Amino acid sequence: MCTNRALLFVVLAFSLGFPSLFGTSSAAADAGGAAVSDYGAGCFLDPGNRAATVDSLRFRCSAEQQDAIFDDAPRGAVPMGVKNGWVIRPMSIRSWAPALWNGKTFYTNPDGGYLMNRLTAADIEAWPADVYTAPAILDGGPTWALDYAPSPTPEIYDEIREITPGVWFGYSWRRDTDPPTMVLSFALATP
C-alpha cells in the first residue's frame, strides 16, 4: 500500500507540474534546460530560479566562490529596465544598505546606455552612470561597465556580468587608487 501511495504521489506531482520535487524545475526548462552550477558548500547558480541564485550569493557563497562565479561568467546581456539590488559584501554594509539603495533602473539598448540608481524606499532615481562594454579589472574579460563619471562620485566604477538569465553579479571599485580598490560586491535581478 505504501508503494502505491508513493507511485501515486510521483504521478500526481508530474501531472500537476511539480518536477522540482525531483531535482529539476519547470523554470529551468524555461531557461533552456541549463543545469544548476554547484560551487560547493551550498553555493550554486540556478538558471531557472533568480531568487535562489541571489539567496545563494548573499548567504552561502564565500568571497572566493563569488570571484569564481564572476570569472566563469560571460558578459551576458545588458540589463534593461528596473532591477532590484543587494549588497553582497562586505557584511558590515549588507544590513543597512537597503535603507539607502535598492537597485538600478537601466535605460539601455543591446549596446549600452545609462542607468540611474534607485535610492531609499521612495525609489528616488539618482547617481547616473554610463553603461558600456569594457575589460574587467579582475580578469580582463568583457564586462558591463557602469561608469559613474557623470555622477557626484566620478571615482566609482562598477562592472557586472550576467551569471544566470536575469541575474547580474559584480563589483564596485574606487578607480582613484592604484591599483583600483574594491568597495563592495553586489547582485542585481529582474523583479
Side-chain angles (χ1 to χ4, degrees), residues 7-173:
L7 182 59
L8 179 62
F9 178 74
V10 170
V11 170
L12 283 173
F14 276 107
S15 66
L16 293 174
F18 297 117
S20 62
L21 295 173
F22 304 97
T24 61
S25 71
S26 57
D30 294 340
V36 171
S37 298
D38 188 350
Y39 285 82
C43 176
F44 65 90
L45 305 179
D46 185 342
N49 189 332
R50 288 190 291 267
T53 295
V54 170
D55 182 74
S56 182
L57 281 170
R58 293 178 69 201
F59 303 114
R60 292 173 184 77
C61 300
S62 69
E64 294 78 17
Q65 289 169 317
Q66 293 164 8
D67 293 346
I69 288 167
F70 185 83
D71 288 344
D72 291 347
R75 179 192 70 167
V78 68
M80 295 182 177
V82 174
K83 303 298 173 225
N84 292 335
W86 300 267
V87 170
I88 305 297
R89 68 182 201 248
M91 294 286 287
S92 60
I93 296 176
R94 283 192 349 193
S95 62
W96 56 265
L100 301 175
W101 177 76
N102 57 29
K104 302 176 186 295
T105 301
F106 287 83
Y107 299 92
T108 53
N109 62 47
D111 297 321
Y114 74 98
L115 67 82
M116 298 293 284
N117 280 277
R118 294 174 30 233
L119 307 178
T120 75
D123 268 348
I124 297 167
E125 286 194 352
W127 255 261
D130 294 323
V131 179
Y132 54 86
T133 299
I137 291 171
L138 282 181
D139 63 13
T143 188
W144 288 107
L146 314 179
D147 186 345
Y148 286 89
S151 80
T153 54
E155 70 278 5
I156 300 298
Y157 176 84
D158 296 348
E159 48 192 25
I160 59 173
R161 289 181 176 154
E162 189 176 28
I163 59 170
T164 63
V167 178
W168 293 262
F169 174 71
Y171 305 95
S172 185
W173 300 92

